[in-house]
Structures are given as C-alpha cells and as structure tokens.
C-alpha cells in the first residue's frame, strides 16, 4: 500500500513540471507509518474543490515508545484519516492510571514522547484534519493518543521519565464517530508541561 513513490505536478504558469519524490518513513504492521523520533514532519494534503474533503491518508501515524521517547515535531494539515484501528500495544513498560491494562492506543495517531525543556516543548499541530471511524478497541484515544509519561518509571524503576512536555494545537478539525473504551476523540495523558489549544473544531458522536 505504501510504496513511498508519489507524483508532484506543478500547476502554475508558465510551464508545467512533473516528477516524483520519495517519502522516507518506516512502515510496520497494522498499516502504521512510524515517524523517526528525531525528525520533524509536515504531512500536508489538499482540499478537493468538489467534495470539500481533504486528501485521504490510508494509514495511521506513530512516533516513540515508552523506552525510546520521541522528540519529533509533527504537523498534519488538510488530511482525512478514516477507518484506522490501533494495533495491540507492545510497549515494554505498562501504562498507568486510566490506561493501565488497556490493549490499544490511538486509532489514527499515537505519540509517546515529549521534551524535557519547558521552553522548548514538542509541537504537535493538527490543522483541518478529519478523523472519522477510527478506533482503539478496548483501549484509549480512538482517534488520537498522546502520552508524555511524566514522572513515570523507566525500565529502571528508580529513573523517572521527564521527556514529557508537549504543545498541542488542534484547529479546524473534525472528529466523527471515533471509538475507544476511554475517550473516542483525543486523549492526552501525563504530559507535563502541557500547552493546549483547541479551536473551531467539531467532536461529533464520539464513543468512549
């Protein structure tokens, strides 16, 4: 499904141009594109002038784990992520609190990481993204799961995790009929410090 080969077409005058570009990512099981922990990504589509829907991304995105914290800044813009289902969670360190014992996290987007510097928070930005019919079956964050794991133990129980600071922006997004046992839409867990802005976004018929 992901051959990393996309076509770009130049639409503006005076001359048209067409070529290809490769997108470097890591595609694992369950239709998941893994964003490297030390890279900053912008994933941008276009809005169809007839349907009014943004470009469809047939896959889910993931970055980081309990023991390999992500510091990636990620921007998603003008995308539709539909029908994605989170796979079984394989983190070597168990979740805590409401997430303890849950089997899956983040139907369309799963982030495990953050920044240890309060003045340089990791930035996660969603602009005009449609999340619909995504699921974390029996789990949490039917569409989006973000886990800072602040003050949680690392593999060494004596060492706490403090790479957990996140600045989250959700603007002009639509969340429609996403499902999880805990929070069908967006679940931000143990992020510290957290700066969050949600504006002009619709959460419709979430189940969780």
């Amino acid at each position: 499904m992901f051959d990393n080969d996309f076509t770009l077409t130049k639409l503006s005058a005076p001359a048209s141009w067409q070529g290809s570009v490769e997108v470097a990512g890591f595609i694992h099981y369950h239709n998941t594109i893994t964003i490297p922990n030390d890279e900053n990504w912008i994933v941008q589509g276009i809005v169809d002038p007839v349907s009014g829907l943004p470009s469809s991304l047939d896959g889910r995105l993931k970055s980081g784990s309990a023991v390999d914290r992500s510091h990636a800044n990620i921007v998603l813009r003008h995308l539709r992520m539909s029908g994605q289902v989170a796979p079984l969670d394989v983190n070597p360190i168990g979740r805590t609190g409401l997430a303890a014992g849950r089997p899956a996290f983040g139907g369309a987007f799963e982030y495990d990481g953050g920044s240890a510097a309060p003045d340089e928070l990791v930035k996660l930005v969603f602009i005009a993204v449609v999340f619909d019919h995504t699921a974390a079956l029996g789990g949490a964050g039917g569409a989006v799961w973000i886990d800072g794991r602040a003050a949680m133990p690392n593999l060494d129980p004596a060492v706490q995790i403090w790479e957990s600071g996140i600045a989250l922006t959700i603007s002009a997004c639509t969340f429609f009929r996403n499902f999880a046992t805990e929070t069908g839409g967006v679940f931000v867990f143990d992020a510290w410090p957290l700066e969050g802005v949600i504006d002009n976004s619709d959460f419709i018929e979430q189940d969780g």
Side-chain angles (χ1 to χ4, degrees):
M1 179 173 294
F2 298 103
D3 60 6
N4 286 351
D5 189 10
F6 296 82
T7 297
L8 297 179
T9 302
K10 183 177 182 295
L11 299 177
S12 58
S16 62
W17 170 88
Q18 185 169 330
S20 63
V21 61
E22 288 196 354
V23 177
F26 301 91
I27 300 155
H28 295 312
Y29 57 95
H30 290 278
N31 219 35
T32 298
I33 302 172
T34 300
I35 296 175
N37 297 345
D38 58 350
E39 294 184 5
N40 299 322
W41 278 37
I42 298 175
V43 184
Q44 175 158 339
I46 60 174
V47 177
D48 187 287
V50 177
S51 68
L53 291 173
S55 301
S56 179
L57 174 60
D58 189 7
R60 62 187 296 274
L61 297 172
K62 171 182 171 61
S63 189
S65 70
V67 295
D68 192 11
R69 314 294 291 151
S70 180
H71 309 110
N73 298 286
I74 301 171
V75 177
L76 307 183
R77 187 186 291 122
H78 298 307
L79 296 173
R80 181 184 182 190
M81 304 180 75
S82 179
Q84 302 302 317
V85 178
L88 182 67
D89 186 43
V90 293
N91 267 304
I93 303 176
R95 311 280 183 176
T96 60
L98 289 174
R102 300 293 182 193
F105 301 89
F109 183 89
E110 179 185 357
Y111 191 91
D112 213 322
S115 170
D119 56 344
E120 295 182 5
L121 300 180
V122 161
K123 293 177 176 59
L124 304 178
V125 181
F126 305 143
I127 300 174
V129 180
V130 176
F131 299 91
D132 69 276
H133 301 91
T134 64
L137 301 175
V144 174
W145 168 265
I146 299 168
D147 196 346
R149 292 182 181 260
M152 294 298 105
N154 208 323
L155 283 176
D156 179 353
V159 178
Q160 292 181 331
I161 294 172
W162 286 109
E163 295 172 301
S164 56
I166 292 171
L168 172 65
T169 300
I170 298 174
S171 180
C173 292
T174 299
F175 295 81
F176 181 68
R177 291 188 176 178
N178 303 293
F179 173 82
T181 299
E182 295 287 347
T183 309
V186 180
F187 200 137
V188 182
F189 196 64
D190 285 341
W192 188 90
L194 172 66
E195 294 179 1
V197 176
I198 300 177
D199 70 87
N200 195 31
S201 296
D202 296 316
F203 293 79
I204 305 167
E205 298 183 16
Q206 307 303 302
D207 191 350

